[in-house]
Structure formats: C-alpha cells, structure tokens
C-alpha cells in the first residue's frame, strides 16, 4: 500500500474567513450560508412527496429563504438564544428546514426518534423543555389533544390545520436574533425515550462542523454529489454523514420516507444517488439480491462473473483503479445503484465478504466508526487506501486516539480527544465525568487496537449496548425494566447474540430465571430437571416474553430465550454482573 495522503478539505474556507466567519471553524448557519454563496442555484433538499410521488426540490437559495423565514417566526414567537426547539418526523425537507431554522435563530435543536411512542416522546420533551415541537401528522393529533408547555406544529403539508404547517409560518416584523458562537451547543441528541432519565448528548457547533470537514480528508466530496438520507436523520450517523456533509459542500440530499424496496429503488434511480450511507442490513440485502440475479444466469456465466470480480478487486488494490463499474454496469443498473460513487457502512459489524463484494463491483465501499458522543465520526477508511478488516483510519492530523490499558496483544479501551468530542450529557454532570476526563479524553467503552498505519480494528464492546444489524442501539437495561411487573420472572438479563454467522447479524437473547410463583402455579419443583418439565417452563416463559415484545419497538424485541437453572451472580446493589456469556 502506498503512503496515504489526506485530502485538503478545508483550505477553501480561507476565502470566507474573516468575512463570513471568524476563528478556526464556522458555525452550522455560517457553513450553510457559505454554501449558499458558492452554489445558490444548485439543488439542496429533495424528496418524492409531491402530488403522485413527484419530485420536490429546493435550491440552496430557496432553502435559505425558507430557513430565515421560519427562524424569524421563531424569534418573534419567543425563541431566544439558547432555547430548545424539538423536531420529530420522517426524513423530509421540512425536517431539515426546522433543524437549520432553530440554529439560525440562535437556539438548540433537539431531534427525536419518530419511531418512539407518543408517551416516550413526552418523556424526552419533559427533559428537553423546548419552546416548540415540530412533529409529523401521525403524532400531531396526540400532541394537540391537551395543553403542553410548548407549541406544537406540523411538518406535513397535508395537515388540515394549515396555519400550523411549518412552511406557512412567517414573522410580521424584523427579527432580533443573537446568534450562537462556535463553542455553544447546537444540538442535544437523546439516547432513549423510555421511562427514566434519558441521556442527552450535547454537541456544539464546533463539534458538528469540525467533524464534517475533517471526515472529508479521507474522501473527496463534490457539489455534484447526491446523498440519500435513507436512515432516520435524527440519528447522529445520518445527521452528520449525510445531512451535514451535504450542506457543507453544496451537494444535494434526497430524503427517503420509508425502507420500502420499491420506493427505495425509485428514489435511487430517479434521484441519481451518488453517495449511499447505510447499515449492514441494507447492504446485506442489496448484495444478496445482486448475487442471486447473477447465479440465475447459470453456473458458467456466474463463474466468469466471479473471475471478473476478482480481477476488478485486484486492480483496485494494486493500481487504485476500479474497472468494475463499467464491467458490471448492467447488473448495478438493474439494482438501481449504477450511479453510486461511494457507499459507506456504519452502525454495526459488517461481514468482510460484503465489504469486498461492493468494491469488486466497482463501488468505492468503506466502513467508518464513531459514537453519538463523538459527533460521531472518529475513524473512516480512506476510499483509495481502505483496509477490509478495519473500521477506518483515525484523523491523526486533527485528533488523538489511544488504546487504554492494552492487553498483551494490544487490545484495550479506545479513548479519543479532539474537536468532535461532545460537551457532555445534558444536566448530567456525574455521568459526563464518568466518560469524559478534565483534559478532554473520552472513553468510548469499546475495545480495539491500532495498527502501524493508525487504522482501527474493533475487538468488541465493553459497554452493555447492543448494536443490531439495522444499526439500532439497544440498551438491555431498558428492555429488562419492561419485565419488572412480570411476577413469573425473577431475573432477566438481555444480551446480544450472533443470529447469522455469515452476515454477523446480531439479535437479542434473554437469559431468564423463572420465579417461585411460576413454578408453584405449574405445580413444579425447582429440583425437577426433566426434559418435559423444562419444556413446560420454557413455554410459560415464552408467553411472558411474547406479551412484553408486543409493547417494545421492533428492534428491541427478544428473539431467543434461555431458561436458567440457577440465577446469575449479582452485585450488592442487586445488579447482574455482566461478565457472562451463556
């Protein structure tokens, strides 16, 4: 591998420094305004939600007009510097306009998962205490049935109460806005919406903007690129790697409303997508479909295609050119991904064979790594210098990474320090102090090691968090709490397990110790360990799990149970010691 040289992604800012912003980095509104100056008439926000599924597009200047109009309305209606504004809905231009308008108004944006139940959103809203809440139609009615200490407005043009539609809101006088500084909080991303106190990750303008430009040192982005916002944009991954990256270079973002295959194929093809970011589940499904189609051509043709794929990959690794895009154009076009220039996978483990497959087919495919607390990108495979076994090279020129307490083979906890590290957890100083040191080092809780060229290899997670194949973060304690009132279960502990070795798909398993009450009702003594008795107990336990599963979000549901003969070891505070793997 020839010596890697990072791309220059920020020198163009010198043209605007001192005029459009001061200091090392612009704020998010300043970053967007610079793109408007550079590319006023280029497409900015696009979706296919017009009449009959027609394409809707805002240019950069049109988007700025809508953003400033809404920011002025927010200001006139009481949103002041440092106030919070919440938004929850499917990906859309309206969502993006609310997000940026709040920042242009000097406020803090609080994006929330639209998949949460209304009651869970209420929990987050009580924590955030926003001035306004902008929400999709599906939950709009719930939030207008009673009085809340915040105003509720609709993200959907179909909303019958037109005066509540976000793009119809306009101020009657000139605003008086105090803009946020680069060091101030731009966004609060909440990790959970269930009962209890959710963690709100505070990210500053500096966190978001620096990470946006620093990530571009590992790949070229152009104003002609078209990003596809398929994953929910409230998540840090999509928010930065799609939304922020788009507006930083004057590119276009196409907002997807659903994971429907037919709709996705239409949007990929008609949107002429060049930048596709997703999670393992998406790329696994796409790859499976393509391979299936190739095999259907017969053994002989498939064999030739495999040889061509091997040759294409060899050319890319050795000569840094990839002929696969031309060789397999017809195959890629049928899958609606012929226009894809770069594909990036994050949010979970990916099989090496899938990583290799896309590169063989002519698509520059790389992996990245990060957490919400790191804005999130802290490692990214350079497009021309990727390592298939790595989640990426960390940005050595802009940040520090170290492996804490490494073992004999170099594996330890990954710790990072740099401009993208969060300010802390919202109103949770003790939790912040537990992961963020006074001198700025953040403990990721993940285990890994670095090679001689600063590429990061993940070895596992030391935290309890489970990442599903769909890229969802699952916190086992939240699921376990759902069983607190189930008297048939004395102890339940949730962990991840590999459901598919080929794709490294991770799902949820519950280790369950049945209660004395259940055994008594079944007229079973605990000492009876016969196969028939175990089957009876497992059947009753499964009924409980099925009942609770219905109340959980799809990615939180338990797909496997293991009934324990004895309880797991507990701490003095009655918490299971998670140093097990049944």
């Amino acid at each position: 591998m020839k010596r890697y040289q990072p791309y220059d992604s920020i020198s163009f800012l010198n043209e605007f420094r001192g005029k459009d912003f001061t200091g090392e980095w612009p704020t998010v509104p300043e970053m967007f305004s610079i793109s408007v100056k550079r590319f006023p008439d280029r497409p900015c926000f696009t979706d296919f939600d017009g009449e009959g599924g027609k394409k809707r597009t805002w240019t950069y200047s049109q988007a700025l007009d809508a953003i400033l109009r809404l920011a002025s309305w927010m200001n006139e209606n009481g949103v002041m510097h440092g106030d919070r504004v919440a938004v929850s809905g499917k990906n859309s231009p309206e969502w993006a306009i609310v997000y940026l308008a709040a920042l242009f108004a000097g406020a803090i944006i609080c994006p929330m998962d639209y998949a949460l139940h209304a009651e869970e959103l209420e929990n987050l809203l009580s924590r955030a205490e926003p001035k306004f809440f902008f929400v999709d139609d599906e939950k709009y009615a719930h939030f207008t049935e009673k009085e809340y200490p915040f105003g509720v407005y609709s993200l959907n043009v179909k909303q019958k109460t037109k005066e509540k539609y976000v793009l119809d809101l306009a101020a009657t006088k000139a605003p008086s806005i105090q803009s946020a500084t680069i060091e101030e909080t731009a966004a609060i991303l909440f990790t959970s919406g269930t009962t209890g106190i959710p963690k709100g990750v505070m990210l500053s303008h500096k966190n978001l903007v620096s990470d946006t430009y620093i990530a571009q040192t590992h790949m070229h982005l152009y104003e002609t690129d078209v990003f596809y916002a398929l994953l929910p944009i409230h998540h840090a991954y999509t928010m930065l790697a799609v939304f922020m990256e788009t507006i930083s270079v004057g590119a276009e973002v196409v907002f997807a409303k659903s994971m429907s295959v037919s709709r996705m194929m239409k949007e990929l093809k008609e949107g002429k997508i060049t930048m596709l970011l997703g999670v393992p589940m998406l790329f696994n499904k796409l790859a499976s479909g393509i391979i299936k189609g190739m095999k259907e051509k017969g053994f002989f043709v498939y064999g030739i295609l495999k040889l061509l794929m091997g040759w294409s990959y060899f050319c890319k690794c050795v000569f840094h050119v990839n002929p696969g895009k031309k060789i397999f154009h017809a195959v890629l076009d049928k899958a609606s991904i012929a226009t894809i220039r770069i594909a990036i996978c994050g949010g979970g483990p990916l099989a090496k064979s899938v990583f290799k497959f896309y590169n063989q087919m002519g698509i520059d495919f790389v992996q990245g790594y990060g957490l919400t607390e790191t804005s999130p990108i802290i490692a990214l495979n350079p497009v021309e210098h990727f390592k298939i076994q790595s989640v990426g090279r960390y940005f050595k020129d802009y940040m520090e990474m170290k492996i804490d307490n490494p073992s004999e083979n170099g594996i330890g906890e990954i710790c990072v320090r740099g401009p993208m590290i969060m300010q802390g957890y919202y109103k949770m100083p003790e939790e912040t102090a537990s992961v963020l040191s006074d001198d700025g080092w953040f403990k990721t809780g993940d285990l890994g090691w670095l090679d001689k060229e600063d590429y990061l290899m993940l070895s596992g997670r030391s935290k309890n968090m489970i990442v599903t194949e769909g890229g969802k973060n699952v916190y086992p304690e939240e699921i376990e709490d759902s069983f607190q009132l189930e008297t048939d279960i004395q102890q339940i502990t949730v962990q991840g397990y590999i459901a598919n070795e080929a794709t490294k798909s991770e799902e949820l398993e519950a280790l369950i110790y049945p209660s004395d009450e259940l055994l008594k009702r079944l007229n079973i003594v605990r000492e009876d360990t016969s196969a028939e008795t175990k089957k009876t107990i497992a059947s009753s336990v499964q009924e409980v799990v099925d009942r609770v599963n219905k109340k959980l979000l799809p990615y939180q549901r338990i797909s496997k149970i293991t009934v324990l003969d004895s309880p797991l070891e507990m701490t003095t505070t009655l918490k299971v010691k998670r140093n097990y793997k049944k």
Side-chain angles (χ1 to χ4, degrees), residues 231-365:
L231 303 174
I233 203 169
H234 74 273
H235 192 282
Y237 175 35
T238 313
M239 184 187 304
L240 190 115
V242 177
F243 182 44
M244 288 290 169
E245 295 292 357
T246 293
I247 64 175
S248 74
V249 297
E252 178 183 5
V253 57
V254 173
F255 295 100
K257 292 291 195 303
S258 75
M259 293 281 280
S260 161
V261 174
S262 59
R263 177 155 185 161
M264 185 173 70
M265 293 298 108
K266 167 187 167 71
E267 291 170 345
L268 282 169
K269 187 177 286 288
E270 294 185 21
K272 298 180 180 177
I273 306 300
T274 66
M275 301 292 297
L276 178 61
L277 287 83
V279 292
M281 181 172 62
L282 168 67
F283 292 116
N284 287 336
K285 286 184 176 180
L286 277 173
S288 297
I290 294 171
I291 292 170
K292 180 182 178 182
M294 291 166 65
K295 287 182 176 179
E296 288 174 350
K297 295 180 182 296
F299 179 79
F300 180 72
V301 173
Y302 179 63
I304 293 175
L305 291 174
K306 287 287 287 183
L307 287 173
L308 289 172
M309 287 166 64
W311 180 72
S312 172
Y313 189 70
F314 173 80
C315 290
K316 178 163 188 179
C317 292
V318 176
F319 304 113
H320 302 288
V321 293
N322 195 341
K325 200 70 171 285
K326 290 184 178 180
I327 296 171
F328 302 107
H329 182 271
V331 177
L332 296 173
D333 189 58
K334 187 176 181 180
S336 299
I337 57 174
T339 58
I340 301 297
R341 188 171 69 85
I342 298 176
I344 304 174
C345 184
L350 181 75
K352 292 179 183 177
S353 59
V354 178
F355 190 136
K356 186 176 181 179
F357 171 78
Y358 285 101
N359 281 292
Q360 290 174 324
M361 297 297 290
I363 293 175
D364 287 330
F365 190 95

Side-chain angles (χ1 to χ4, degrees), residues 91 264 489:
N91 298 351
M264 185 173 70
I489 293 176

